[in-house]
Amino acid sequence: MFRLSKITDYGIVLLAHLAKRAPGLGTQATSHNARELASEVDLPVPVVSKILKSLTRAGVLESHRGAKGGYSLARRPEDLSVVEMITALDGPVALTQCNMGTEVCEHEGSCAVRNPWQVINQVVRYSLSGVTLADLINPSFSAQHAPLSSLGRYMQGEPPRSRVS
Amino acid sequence: MFRLSKITDYGIVLLAHLAKRAPGLGTQATSHNARELASEVDLPVPVVSKILKSLTRAGVLESHRGAKGGYSLARRPEDLSVVEMITALDGPVALTQCNMGTEVCEHEGSCAVRNPWQVINQVVRYSLSGVTLADLINPSFSAQHAPLSSLGRYMQGEPPRSRVS
DNA sequence: TATTTACAGAACCAATTCGGTCCGATATCC
DNA sequence: GGATATCGGACCGAATTGGTTCTGTAAATA
């Protein structure tokens, strides 16, 4: 199947919720704990906790342990792309296994489509890297088809704006 | 995981192989049987057979039964988009389950990212619909980043060229 | 017409993956 | 020192996937 896992789906919902609820960056003051977030988003606590841990390990969130601890965004929503969220939760964005890098494809000799797939992957990656967390929580975004503008910038040679420099 | 199934991967390899080997359209003369194709692509015969059946059911291939039968492309490679191949093998291209249409998402009330996901899906779909089977077997394609040109056309309001009219 | 070839369709099974839970350890606040 | 909350695993049942097998049917050929 082409769709991504529920964990990734939930994770993006959580990030959007965090961005909406605490626009400020990750100080202790703006952090929310897993139980609180779970009830707000209406998902089981262990699941939310697991997702938040993954996002923290990937550097998307910051964690504060101990009493009054919790999670908060590690970056501004404008600086967090959809590609990075998906990568953090689901691994690298690659449509075919040949493009995963590490493992060797045993059909390499007879495989005629390796390079084209790489181009396709690149296009998908770039289109998704043009959409940021800030876009996701912007109500006027969906109506405007905004990601296309970032694609336009990409086509003119400009790197996607969400890229961390 | 964001990647697509092995079946889809194999299927596209098979289609590319067919397009390379028999550029002409689906007359009996240009058809190849499952066993032959399986040995050429170096995959188990039952797997190849299963994939070819799916592609036939989806209208991507034509089948000829009986002795000297086999499979052949139902359309010219230029008229077959990657989106259609993936759809035929893996179902509709949709990244999150909320976008699958039929089933109802139980978190709809607290879900803040439904519309943005639809936009993202659309961008992915259009970028993939701009790449055709003919592109996949064109050696100079990968170097040129050709899919971007179709994205450019899309952004100017033109429908993707691979769409069947 | 009998035989051979090859697709059609469905059931089937083993293995991997995924969604979700649980627990001991560690760090922080009061 | 006690309470709170994350960290990092292991863990399990269920769903999906990759792959096989079998019976039926259509077409070509002798």
Side-chain angles (χ1 to χ4, degrees), chain A residues 6 23 26 34-35 48 55 58 64 72 75-76 82 90-91 98 100-101 107 116 128 130 139 146 152 159 162:
Chain A
K6 280 189 180 181
R35 192 157 27 82
V48 169
L55 290 172
H64 308 281
S72 52
R75 276 180 254 156
R76 293 181 322 176
V82 171
D90 242 7
C98 340
M100 290 294 289
H107 309 106
L128 291 184
S162 57

Side-chain angles (χ1 to χ4, degrees), chain B residues 57-90:
Chain B
R57 232 169 305 166
V60 171
L61 292 182
E62 279 176 3
S63 66
H64 307 282
R65 302 175 72 158
K68 292 215 157 204
Y71 296 91
S72 52
L73 291 173
R75 277 180 254 155
R76 293 181 321 175
E78 305 87 52
D79 295 330
L80 183 58
S81 74
V82 171
V83 157
E84 289 173 284
M85 306 184 216
I86 294 179
T87 302
L89 292 160
D90 243 6

Side-chain angles (χ1 to χ4, degrees), chain A residues 49-154:
Chain A
S49 178
K50 187 182 198 172
I51 294 172
L52 295 173
K53 276 185 262 184
S54 299
L55 290 172
T56 303
R57 230 169 306 164
V60 170
L61 292 181
E62 278 176 3
S63 66
H64 308 281
R65 302 175 71 160
K68 291 217 160 202
Y71 297 91
S72 52
L73 291 173
R75 276 180 254 156
R76 293 181 322 176
E78 306 87 50
D79 294 330
L80 182 59
S81 73
V82 171
V83 156
E84 290 172 282
M85 307 185 215
I86 294 178
T87 302
L89 293 160
D90 242 7
V93 174
L95 273 66
T96 57
Q97 295 184 323
C98 340
N99 293 297
M100 290 294 289
T102 63
E103 62 186 85
V104 180
C105 175
E106 67 266 31
H107 309 106
E108 206 165 330
S110 51
C111 178
V113 292
R114 204 170 63 256
N115 275 340
W117 268 120
Q118 285 172 358
V119 177
I120 295 171
N121 282 332
Q122 210 172 29
V123 171
V124 171
R125 263 195 296 266
Y126 266 101
S127 47
L128 291 184
S129 69
V131 186
T132 71
L133 179 54
D135 294 328
L136 290 184
I137 62 173
N138 176 9
S140 67
F141 178 83
S142 57
Q144 314 294 339
H145 280 216
L148 297 179
S149 67
S150 76
L151 278 177
R153 282 201 301 280
Y154 168 49

